[in-house]
Amino acid sequence: MNRALITALTAIGAAQVLKVPMQYRASGQWNWGKSIGSGGMPSSHSSGVTALATYIGIRHGLKSPAFALASMLGTIVMYDAMNLRRHTGEIAIQVNDLDAHVETLTGHDSELYHDRRKERLEESIGHQPEEVLAGALLGAAIGCAGALTAP
């Protein structure tokens, strides 16, 4: 059994499950789809990679090549979640609003003037810094628990 992998997957699962009550707290509505979607509070990406790095750091030492690898992987994943993926989500919002803007500018809501998008782009694919931080804190706690309870 790969305890490090199990610990990281547990952290990802915990973050995904926590997204549902966090979304309810923010909006007042239960959205069970948040448990399988990307984006939102806390970041499951951050939780998983931080749990893995924490587990490896405690079990194999902060000077081990495995810890260095896990830490670099985590840094890249969290940077990507806060920057590239978040900006992609912001662009998706603007693209999704294009039909309404075209209709407002032309004064028409007919498809004679432009092709309306059939499907909306996913808008919540990245993370705000506080979502990444919350995921990292959750992951660190789960990584510690996994490492300290390992046989």
Side-chain angles (χ1 to χ4, degrees), residues 8 12 16 21 33 39 43 47 49 63 65 72 83 99 119 122:
I12 290 169
Q16 288 299 118
S43 166
S47 184
V49 294
K63 293 182 179 181
M72 287 307 303
N83 290 293
D99 284 328
E119 294 181 26
E122 185 179 352

Side-chain angles (χ1 to χ4, degrees), residues 18 109 121 124 151:
L18 284 172
D109 61 353
L121 298 174
S124 178

